[in-house]
Amino acid sequence: MKSLWPAWFKKQRWKPFPFQQEAWDAFLAGESGLVHAPTGLGKTYAVWGGPVLEWLAQNPEKAAWPKKTEPLRVLWLTPLRALANDTVESLRAPLKDLGLPWSVELRTGDTSAAARQRQRQRFPTALVTTPESLSLLLTHADTREKFADLRCVIVDEWHEMLGTKRGVQTELCLARLRQWAPGLRIWGLSATLGNLGQALHVLLGSAAHAGKARMISAQVNKKFEIKSLLPRSMESFPWSGHAGLRMLPDVIRRLEKSRTTLLFVNTRSQVEIWYQALCAARPDWDGDIELHHGSVDRKKREEVEERLRAGAVKCVVCTGSLDLGVDFSPVEQVIQVGAPKGVARMLQRAGRSGHQPGAVSRIYCVPAHALELVEFAAVRDAITRGEMEAREPVDRPLDLLVQHLVTLALGGGFHEAQALAEIRSTHAFRDLSDEEWQWIIDFVTRGGKSLKAYPQFRRVRQEGDFFTVDQPDIARFHRMSIGTITSDAMMSVRLMRGSHLGSIEESFIARLKAGDGFSFAGHQLEFVRVHDMTAFVRKSRKTSRLVPQWMGGKMPLSTQLARAVRLKLAEAKREVFDSPEMKAAAPVLKIQASWSLIPEPDELLIEWTRTREGLLYFIYPFAGRLAHEGLAVLTAHRIGKASPRSFALTMNDYGFALATPTPLDLDEQAWREMLSPDMLVEDILDCLNSTELAKRQFREIARIAGLVFQGYPGSSKSTRQVQASSGLFYDMFSRYEPDNRLLDQARREVIERQLEVRRLRETLSQAQGMKIILRETQRLTPLSFPLWAMWVQAQVSTEKWADRVRRMSEQLEAEALRT
């Protein structure tokens, strides 16, 4: 009967790849591991075949197959609900054809209460779920019994969870399942990842050292075509603000050549802008253009996904909400508007087309400005060299461990020594100290030093070395609060007499007055009022260019792509323009070389220019926007300590600018001292309002640790209320319990996550070995112009920002022609 699986492949006119056969053999040998392969090469069936083949070997006589569906054998964890729906269909396909007595079902936050209750009585043979839903299952004492036949856990898109607290949540859940079933096999699926070895060890924890961990990489050349739509006339002085819409006619011509296209942009705001622009330019495509991003109502997103699968839509404008491995076979091409900011992201998005073995994945890149053409050429070179970003795992998030211990106590209870060994078997908590463990035990049983007088924080009851939860209110509260996803100030948006449209950040809604218009979810809307955390709107015939802004849309340039960009710039300095993109960008780069300098990878360029607004200094480390934010503040702080003065700061992915009314008397050595990695953490915490930063970060920690409850369905608190509540805890801990471990975690996360201190330190260390080149320029250069434009935007002026920037751009273009 084992031949049924190969026969099914043959029926599909497929031939198994060697990596798929290797994965099947490894599973049957009792091994766990990680399968790494490009998008669209069959990773799903590489790991699905193992459990199916094992069952066929154990049940060789088809006549003796059971009439009832088999009990739970496989758990399939996925990071996205949309991906979960698609996975269920992919897993069911061979089971139906082979006639196996297996069932595959979905369990996420969207699953109905009736379906969840039915599953609680008898789980399907394969359950596709999310880390949050698995954690919720672990809160039930009978789950261990119902998981008695579990053979395998498969973690899909592991690279997406690896560097997040959801990844740690997955680690903790897997540790519990391994403790229940020591022979459990765990397999991860990954594409586009630079630190595969570390990813394997994080997935398997201490089990990775047991000698049965297998890394399987597909040695298959997936074909990618990365091309750029080149503008007819190149803007020498690029500035942000038009979202690449100058290329709209070229994009439309590209859309006309394909039946189905995914058009990716980098932020949700740009989705709204491009969707409205396409609809206005081609009204005859009404109903054939859709939009998709994480703030659009779930039902609407599912409708769009179904239309994509059916090939019934011409174009979907989207963000990373459609990045992952959903199989939309009808998609013929992908368009990327704006630079992708990462090598892996470009490959991931390209792989949405040609999503099957042997097919070519095509992506067309659309520049928002000239310098993005350099990024497109750089990302192609990085892919050719096999360079890929790493995802750094999260280390010791104690807020999540607090949550997990309550989960274990609620799900049948735990013995202290056994739970500690289990938790230390994970990569995230391998170095958990005895002091940290005892603090957490005290925190969940007594509320710690500060909260011991409040019964609601004595969540776990201790009897000897056994811990359990025996209060129904605590159980309900905890189950409603499980998870690590904490949204920024989100508010529901609903039509006055109609449906739910999605959610928008509260800060955007707070700026609107009744009657104000804005564009959202494909509609022109008029704001009416707010009631119970819902913004009520009505459809409007007036066209508004105002679109919501989402803070989560920021994507900094990755380290790998930054290095690749510097290599392309070095080639341009030698007048090597070896790709269509670089040839198109050549006039702009030649102006940069003529008016200032194109820096080599071992050079740090510092320009300064006098404008009518003042004196501006431009520093170009090419380290990404987040690192430059920290560098700008740090540099201004250090200069100000030596010579008190005020600065205005701006930054982008290539560098940062300091605006000051008087010149800086700094030579090359002085600049090197200002950019020293010495005393980095101390200086950056000194110059930033670290208390306020930590207090904001503590909101997430307080929610995950169960200190702040965001409300029951239908009565959610506003984010301002949640922030206020977490702020009270922060102030109380700071005053009465300054050694509180959650306070330490908040400060650590500010340093590691918000300020990217690791990348800051690397950038400053590299600067010490670089040649620092100081250039006074008579006018703004192509590199400095976008930083100047951002600075002007922040100034108080009666002029329209766009008009001011456009005038300066035209003036510089004219000067470039004269020189």
Side-chain angles (χ1 to χ4, degrees), residues 55 58-59 65-73 100-103 122-126 149 151:
W55 188 89
Q58 294 169 350
N59 297 270
W65 285 2
K67 302 301 180 184
K68 279 189 174 182
T69 57
E70 288 287 88
L72 180 68
R73 295 176 69 94
L100 266 63
W102 284 31
S103 58
R122 181 179 173 83
F123 283 114
T125 315
D149 293 294
R151 301 285 198 279

Side-chain angles (χ1 to χ4, degrees), residues 771-797:
K771 180 181 179 181
I772 296 179
I773 300 176
L774 307 177
R775 286 290 167 94
E776 182 177 8
T777 63
Q778 299 304 308
R779 55 187 72 85
L780 294 168
T781 67
L783 279 179
S784 66
F785 184 82
L787 286 166
W788 170 84
M790 293 174 66
W791 180 66
V792 170
Q793 188 177 24
Q795 309 307 305
V796 177
S797 173

Side-chain angles (χ1 to χ4, degrees), residues 264-268 270 319-320 323 336-342 345-346 349 375 550-558 561 624-626 652-653 756 759:
F264 281 104
V265 295
N266 289 337
T267 68
R268 300 176 189 184
Q270 289 172 342
T319 61
D323 262 4
Q336 166 69 40
V337 176
K341 303 303 178 185
R345 186 176 292 111
M346 179 68 94
R349 292 181 173 180
E375 288 190 47
W550 285 271
M551 294 302 293
K554 297 179 179 178
M555 295 194 307
L557 192 71
S558 74
L561 189 49
R625 189 188 58 253
L626 292 182
N652 61 17
D653 278 321
E756 283 202 338
R759 192 168 179 183

Side-chain angles (χ1 to χ4, degrees), residues 472-543:
D473 287 347
I474 288 176
R476 183 182 180 214
F477 176 100
H478 181 72
R479 288 183 175 123
M480 293 292 298
S481 304
I482 277 179
T484 66
I485 301 173
T486 55
S487 62
D488 294 316
M490 301 305 287
M491 182 175 285
S492 177
V493 179
R494 184 176 293 276
L495 293 172
M496 286 294 293
R497 297 181 179 178
S499 58
H500 176 252
L501 298 179
S503 53
I504 294 176
E505 289 188 4
E506 186 180 4
S507 57
F508 175 81
I509 296 295
R511 296 196 300 268
L512 300 179
K513 301 188 297 293
D516 284 354
F518 65 98
S519 175
F520 174 62
H523 302 285
Q524 290 292 333
L525 303 172
E526 178 185 307
F527 174 67
V528 179
R529 61 187 173 90
V530 171
H531 181 68
D532 287 342
M533 285 305 293
T534 298
F536 287 94
V537 298
R538 61 170 59 98
K539 291 184 179 180
S540 173
R541 294 183 179 179
K542 297 179 182 179
T543 300

Side-chain angles (χ1 to χ4, degrees), residues 602-605 668 672 767-773:
D602 61 349
E603 294 175 341
L604 177 63
L605 173 63
E668 180 180 340
R672 198 178 303 280
Q768 297 306 297
M770 288 182 172
K771 180 181 179 181
I772 296 179
I773 300 176

Side-chain angles (χ1 to χ4, degrees), residues 31 61 67 96 211 234 252 265 552 601 748:
E31 297 182 55
E61 299 297 330
K67 302 301 180 184
K96 181 179 179 181
M234 181 57 62
I252 288 175
V265 295
R748 179 159 51 99

